Amino acid sequence: MTTGSAPGTATLTRDPGGPRLALAGDWTLPHYEALQRRANELAGAVDAATVVDTTGLGAMDTSGAFVVAELLGSARTQSLAQDESLPPARRALLKTVGDAIDTYCKGIKRPRDAGFVVMLERIGRAMEGFWKQTLKLLAFIGITLQGFFTNALRPNRWRVTSLTSHIEQTGLDAVPILALLSFMVGCVVAFLGSTALAAYGASLFTVDLVGIAFLREFGVLLTSILLAGRTASAFTAQIGSMKAREEIDAIRTLGLDPIELLVLPRVLALLIALPLLTFIAMISGIVGGGVVCLLALNISPSMFLTMFQTDIPITHFYVGIAKAPPFAFMIAVIGCMEGFKVSGSAQSVGEHTTSAVVQSIFVVILLDATAALFYMEMGW
């Protein structure tokens, strides 16, 4: 055995008797990096038929023994530890390292949970995520309302240009698609009503069905769902792109408030646009129902309007239009909040845009159902 201070080496040769691996030099911690690189180079070339020559092996510590064990494998290291040509201390070190690899370097097989346990775990995680999302939404609503109250009496801080631009984008640009959609739904409701009521000889009441349905529910609901998909996603994508490009950090660096600059104009624009769009949706749906009544039931426009005025009280209109501002506020807040949650990648922008649409539609339907129950109990 040599006990020099030369760095450890591993030389693989092809002798007539088979491959031969010669270990020489000091296999110690100061030479660990070079030894590890050499072991990686020889990975796969050393097999069970390779003869290991340790006659030139110098000093060895735990790090060197670990590299040997990685190179030869645990079983071969255990066999090398039985070599009588090695000093007892060297054999004990190799055996200890080999045993440690067998004991502690094995992957832990996780016991498979029962399907019911996995289902409960997923339900719990979903409920926890829902609760955290609700808290974040409430916190963002509070921040938005604080911004409203802070700037309400400071007209010099109102951003009229931004507000006007967002009203055009969210309101005026949505009129054609909303009017067409409401008109078609009005036609469908009138067709269904005339078909169902014909069995009872009450086809004439299709006028009442169309009027009440669009004034109370369909007008505001169709408008809110359309804007949840069209406007909430746009708000999230716009703010999320700014977040990804670090423009929001730049706004804060300039001493400006992102809520005041980005959120309040969008929320105010939707608060103005959605009630107006709801009114347009009501009119379009009623016109669609009137067209079907004229073509299918021979109810003239004058008769349609007379029945509409006589049978349907104005309360239904108030009930429907009163839902528009809360729906608009929630859609705008959710869209802006999801934009601020974007982490910085294009994938994150897409994920939060989808999340904004889903959350907005869910909240709109939830609020609509709650309002319907409230109005029913109040007798409105």
Side-chain angles (χ1 to χ4, degrees):
M1 292 275 192
T2 62
T3 57
S5 59
T9 60
T11 306
L12 182 63
T13 59
R14 302 290 179 179
D15 297 337
R20 185 181 189 84
L21 179 66
L23 304 180
D26 293 343
W27 288 61
T28 54
L29 184 60
H31 312 300
Y32 175 79
E33 186 177 354
L35 293 171
Q36 187 67 53
R37 284 200 303 268
R38 182 56 180 162
N40 293 336
E41 293 173 359
L42 295 175
V46 179
D47 53 21
T50 304
V51 178
V52 181
D53 181 9
T54 60
T55 55
L57 190 61
M60 177 180 285
D61 59 11
T62 306
S63 60
F66 179 74
V67 176
V68 172
E70 280 190 321
L71 179 60
L72 301 179
S74 176
R76 192 69 186 278
T77 303
Q78 297 283 11
S79 300
L80 188 62
Q82 306 300 324
D83 188 355
E84 295 294 337
S85 64
L86 291 175
R90 189 71 48 75
R91 296 202 306 270
L93 178 60
L94 290 171
K95 185 178 187 307
T96 301
V97 172
D99 290 341
I101 290 177
D102 285 339
T103 304
Y104 299 107
C105 294
K106 290 183 178 180
I108 300 175
K109 187 176 181 181
R110 182 179 178 182
R112 188 174 181 181
D113 294 330
F116 182 70
V117 176
V118 174
M119 182 186 69
L120 290 179
E121 180 183 0
R122 290 183 177 179
I123 293 175
R125 292 184 183 277
M127 294 301 296
E128 181 183 11
F130 177 78
W131 175 246
K132 290 182 178 179
Q133 180 66 22
T134 303
L135 293 179
K136 290 179 181 178
L137 178 59
L138 292 176
F140 197 81
I141 289 174
I143 294 173
T144 304
L145 292 177
Q146 181 184 16
F148 271 125
F149 295 142
T150 301
N151 296 288
L153 302 178
R154 302 163 69 182
N156 60 318
R157 301 186 68 90
W158 296 353
R159 302 186 178 275
V160 180
T161 303
S162 178
L163 175 62
T164 306
S165 174
H166 287 301
I167 290 176
E168 179 184 2
Q169 294 174 8
T170 61
L172 186 61
D173 293 347
V175 169
I177 183 63
L178 178 65
L180 178 61
L181 177 65
S182 301
F183 179 85
M184 295 172 64
V185 173
C187 294
V188 171
V189 171
F191 269 123
L192 292 176
S194 62
T195 303
L197 295 174
Y200 305 97
S203 299
L204 198 62
F205 292 101
T206 303
V207 177
D208 296 359
L209 174 64
V210 172
I212 294 175
F214 269 89
L215 290 179
R216 291 185 69 97
E217 295 293 338
F218 283 165
V220 65
L221 200 58
L222 287 174
T223 305
S224 299
I225 293 175
L226 179 66
L227 291 188
R230 184 180 182 276
T231 305
S233 60
F235 288 174
T236 303
Q238 292 166 2
I239 297 178
S241 299
M242 296 179 67
K243 181 76 177 296
R245 294 193 298 264
E246 299 182 354
E247 294 180 23
I248 294 180
D249 295 333
I251 290 173
R252 291 193 176 98
T253 303
L254 294 173
L256 301 175
D257 184 7
I259 300 297
E260 177 186 338
L261 191 68
L262 303 176
V263 177
L264 295 187
R266 287 174 167 83
V267 175
L268 284 173
L270 207 57
L271 282 172
I272 296 172
L274 199 143
L276 298 176
L277 291 174
T278 299
F279 180 76
I280 294 174
M282 291 176 179
I283 298 300
S284 299
I286 292 171
V287 169
V291 170
V292 172
C293 289
L294 174 63
L295 299 177
L297 302 177
N298 293 322
I299 299 177
S300 64
S302 59
M303 183 179 179
F304 182 92
L305 292 176
T306 301
M307 291 185 60
F308 189 89
Q309 183 179 5
T310 304
D311 299 345
I312 302 176
I314 193 64
T315 306
H316 297 302
F317 171 76
Y318 294 148
V319 165
I321 205 69
K323 300 177 187 178
F327 290 178
F329 181 79
M330 295 305 300
I331 291 171
V333 166
I334 291 173
C336 295
M337 181 189 70
E338 290 297 318
F340 280 102
K341 289 166 63 177
V342 170
S343 60
S345 63
Q347 180 181 358
S348 179
V349 174
E351 290 174 352
H352 286 288
T353 300
T354 304
S355 178
V357 175
V358 173
Q359 289 184 54
S360 300
I361 294 176
F362 173 78
V363 170
V364 163
I365 295 177
L366 179 63
L367 291 178
D368 185 70
T370 304
L373 293 174
F374 174 76
Y375 291 147
M376 182 180 66
E377 293 297 327
M378 296 298 294
W380 294 345

